[in-house]
Amino acid sequence: MQDPKEYFQSRPKKSMGSGCIFFNKKGEILIVKPSYKDYWILPGGGVEEKESPMSACIREVKEEINLEIKNPKFICVDYCPFDEIRGDHLQFLFFGGILNNKEINKIKLLDGELEDFKFVSHKKAFSMIGGRLKKRLPVALRILRNKKSSYL
C-alpha cells in the first residue's frame, strides 16, 4: 500500500488566483492596470502555497491597493482549462463591498505591479478588461445581483 503522504505529493497541483470586485457609491467597478499587461483587471493575484483563496484575496488587495478587507464575500470559482503558459488553473472571485469616499482616498498602488486604477461603468469595464476575466466578470456581476455563488 502506498504511503498517503507520498501519494498526495505525487498528485498534480493546480495554480490558483483570487480577484476582488469593488464598487463605488455610483455602482461603478474598480479596475486596475498592471504594468505587465496591455489590458485592465480586478485587484488580486496568485494564491501562495498553504494559503486559502480568501486569504490570498485579502492579502493581495492590501499589497496592491492598500485596502484592508476582513471578510470578502465569495462570488464564484472559474476553472480555466490548460494553456501553454499557465497550465490549468482556478480563479476565485470575491466581493469586497461598496467603497465610500474615505476608503477610495486610501487607495494607493503599493507593489509596483500596477500603473493605475479607476472606477468605470460596467459597460466600460467590459471594453477595458482582457483574458478570461472578459467572460468571467459579466457572469460574476449577474451572480452578485442574484445573491448566489457559482461554479463557472
Side-chain angles (χ1 to χ4, degrees):
M1 181 173 165
Q2 186 177 14
D3 174 44
K5 183 176 180 180
E6 186 179 290
Y7 169 75
F8 285 107
Q9 286 177 340
S10 72
R11 300 286 302 146
K13 308 292 188 266
K14 295 219 185 300
S15 172
M16 296 184 286
S18 286
C20 199
I21 295 176
F22 293 97
F23 298 119
N24 63 14
K25 289 181 179 180
K26 293 191 254 180
E28 297 170 318
I29 191 166
L30 174 65
I31 57 175
V32 294
K33 175 64 177 78
S35 57
Y36 53 91
K37 293 184 179 180
D38 60 357
Y39 52 85
W40 294 69
I41 61 173
L42 297 172
V47 178
E48 295 179 353
E49 187 175 352
K50 299 179 183 175
E51 181 179 48
S52 75
M54 182 185 285
S55 294
C57 176
I58 292 167
R59 176 185 51 76
E60 286 284 347
V61 165
K62 176 63 177 165
E63 287 177 2
E64 288 187 346
I65 61 173
N66 195 42
L67 288 181
E68 291 190 31
I69 55 175
K70 301 237 185 290
N71 192 20
K73 178 184 173 200
F74 173 73
I75 301 171
C76 63
V77 61
D78 188 10
Y79 169 73
C80 304
F82 181 87
D83 70 43
E84 294 297 325
I85 296 172
R86 297 189 60 182
D88 63 336
H89 55 283
L90 299 169
Q91 292 292 324
F92 291 80
L93 268 181
F94 294 88
F95 179 54
I98 299 170
L99 301 175
N100 60 38
N101 288 338
K102 185 178 176 183
E103 292 165 316
I104 292 169
N105 289 334
K106 287 183 181 178
I107 295 176
K108 290 184 179 52
L109 305 179
L110 298 178
D111 70 0
E113 291 180 18
L114 302 177
E115 296 175 349
D116 200 3
F117 74 91
K118 58 175 71 176
F119 285 89
V120 297
S121 70
H122 297 188
K123 184 177 179 180
K124 181 76 172 170
F126 299 150
S127 71
M128 296 173 72
I129 60 176
R132 284 191 57 93
L133 182 59
K134 203 167 209 43
K135 292 181 180 179
R136 187 179 313 120
L137 184 58
V139 176
L141 294 174
R142 189 168 52 249
I143 291 167
L144 269 174
R145 281 192 301 275
N146 295 332
K147 298 182 174 146
K148 289 186 176 184
S149 303
S150 188
Y151 173 80
L152 305 183

